[in-house]
Amino acid sequence: MKRALSMLTALVTIGAGLTAGAPAAQAAGSCSGTITYSQVQSSGLGELVIYYNSSNGGTNSACFYHRGAAYGKSAPTFVQIYRCAERSGEGAHCTRSGGADTNSGDFSYYAGPVAVTGTANYCVEAVGYIGWAGQRHQIYSRRQGC
């Protein structure tokens, strides 16, 4: 019994050490929450949407959705979101503060979700595009959610 208890204690100690040494998980984003920005690209082929929820000191996420003729068709699709240094001035250009989260590839329905945390009381900016018929159909949100 003593030996079994000693072995169990050793395993728990090793397991705790492995957990403590592991890097912190990045906050997972989702394309859900309160919509703070939504714009359909002028060609009607894509839509950029930014969401907000109050978790993790404020989390903004973004997705770029295929629309119209592009819906359900595989095409190069990209979405990126980042926190701005600014806390006001919605619609103006953004000065990046910190890293960006990006998702890109050949998708049939949407790119994302991408997310940034710690955005309470800060603006965010997102960009998305779809490559279609040899052209890039792009949307920049500029500063949002301020």
Side-chain angles (χ1 to χ4, degrees):
M1 179 72 169
K2 269 187 171 181
R3 186 164 195 237
L5 186 56
S6 294
M7 205 167 200
L8 181 60
T9 303
L11 287 173
V12 169
T13 303
I14 290 169
L18 290 174
T19 303
Q26 196 174 11
S30 69
C31 287
S32 64
T34 302
I35 294 174
T36 60
Y37 175 85
S38 175
Q39 182 180 343
V40 175
Q41 204 280 326
S42 62
S43 68
L45 294 171
E47 179 181 14
L48 179 63
V49 181
I50 300 174
Y51 302 87
Y52 178 79
N53 71 56
S54 58
S55 66
N56 299 314
T59 300
N60 282 92
S61 56
C63 285
F64 188 86
Y65 298 98
H66 289 207
R67 296 289 183 241
Y71 185 77
K73 305 286 189 334
S74 181
T77 314
F78 171 93
V79 67
Q80 181 179 72
I81 192 168
Y82 43 89
R83 189 177 87 170
C84 303
E86 297 84 9
R87 295 175 181 253
S88 63
E90 225 171 75
H93 289 287
C94 174
T95 305
R96 285 188 189 193
S97 172
D101 191 12
T102 303
N103 183 235
S104 64
D106 287 334
F107 302 116
S108 298
Y109 297 98
Y110 64 93
V114 293
V116 289
T117 58
T119 58
N121 302 312
Y122 285 93
C123 306
V124 295
E125 183 171 272
V127 60
Y129 71 78
I130 183 169
W132 192 259
Q135 295 183 346
R136 181 181 288 185
H137 300 268
Q138 188 164 284
I139 301 171
Y140 280 98
S141 71
R142 298 198 179 196
R143 277 187 232 165
Q144 298 298 320
C146 305

